[in-house]
Amino acid sequence: MINVAWDHNSYYHERLLRALPARCGRVLDVGCGAGRFAARLAERADRVDALDRSPAMIAEARRIVPANVTCPLGDAATADLPAGAYDAVTSISALHHMDLPAVLPRLAAALRPGGLLIAVSHHRLEIPRGLPADAVSVFGYNARRAVLLCLPAGRRYRREMYQRHAAQPPMPVKDPQLSLRQVRAQAAAALPGSRVRWLVQWRYELTWRKPGR
């Protein structure tokens, strides 16, 4: 019997892609992990820079991405990011590994005027305020697992995802330190006009468009 697993990060690929222009010149993917989202961005962008500070993740990303994706090893807090170079900056499940007041201004500076920053990451559950939302996440997670176990297409998807994960090194994991309120406060201070939305699966979405053009 195959041990199945749900890929939470892949769940948000479509959401981020829908927010981006139909065609981009250059995109920065921060905390690219094994490179699966960067590979999808490559279908929409002329050039993608997929950045991660884990040597194991960068090695895996370089193995799967197409030729228009470069995978530099580096930390978003210290990497040499070209100013005003990117049409979009994306990130999935990485911002909670970082110091937002230090990193967000650097990502903003890397965007061209009118460019979009969109990221999904984790927040810490705030008790008791966050318990109703947490209950929704638990229900949604288990309902999705039930559907995927029952549908033939779902079973194939889960089998493929398990095989893919089994073949790659484990992704770095860190418990989130900030509550949703703290994320909103830090984002508002670093990126005036940014918006932070609560998402299921204990995540949030941060969006910000750089003023200009």
Side-chain angles (χ1 to χ4, degrees):
M1 180 177 180
I2 292 178
N3 178 23
V4 292
W6 172 262
D7 188 328
H8 292 81
N9 293 338
S10 297
Y11 177 80
Y12 289 107
H13 286 187
E14 294 298 333
R15 183 183 182 97
L16 269 64
L17 290 171
R18 285 194 300 269
L20 297 178
R23 194 67 201 170
C24 298
R26 189 177 180 185
V27 176
L28 171 66
D29 188 37
V30 177
C32 68
R36 291 196 301 277
F37 186 59
R40 298 201 62 184
L41 286 170
E43 300 171 3
R44 302 271 293 274
D46 297 331
R47 178 178 173 184
V48 178
D49 295 332
L51 178 71
D52 203 288
R53 64 189 184 189
S54 165
M57 291 294 99
I58 286 296
E60 179 65 17
R62 287 172 177 166
R63 188 181 68 82
I64 71 164
V65 296
N68 63 331
V69 180
T70 59
C71 300
L73 175 65
D75 191 322
T78 57
D80 185 15
L81 303 177
Y86 296 102
D87 296 306
V89 174
T90 63
S91 182
I92 298 180
S93 295
L95 288 188
H96 67 287
H97 290 258
M98 306 175 191
D99 178 17
L100 295 185
V103 168
L104 291 182
R106 290 175 54 80
L107 301 184
L111 280 170
R112 65 162 178 79
L116 178 68
L117 166 63
I118 180 165
V120 170
S121 198
H122 304 251
H123 62 84
R124 175 176 56 80
L125 176 62
E126 192 173 15
I127 299 174
R129 178 187 295 265
L131 286 177
D134 189 54
V136 171
S137 288
V138 171
F139 174 79
Y141 174 81
N142 287 310
R144 189 176 299 108
R145 284 178 63 90
V147 170
L148 288 174
L149 279 170
C150 295
L151 297 179
R155 289 198 297 270
R156 286 195 300 272
Y157 171 79
R158 291 168 68 88
R159 184 178 299 113
E160 291 168 3
M161 292 307 301
Y162 170 75
Q163 293 168 346
R164 187 180 301 166
H165 281 291
Q168 71 183 38
M171 298 186 70
V173 176
K174 180 180 180 181
D175 291 333
Q177 303 298 307
L178 301 179
S179 69
L180 193 59
R181 286 196 296 172
Q182 290 171 320
V183 170
R184 285 191 173 118
Q186 292 190 11
L191 304 175
S194 61
R195 183 172 181 179
V196 176
R197 297 179 178 91
W198 172 86
L199 299 178
V200 297
Q201 301 174 357
W202 309 278
R203 282 157 169 80
Y204 65 86
E205 178 190 73
L206 168 62
T207 56
W208 180 74
R209 190 170 294 278
K210 189 169 184 174
R213 204 169 81 182

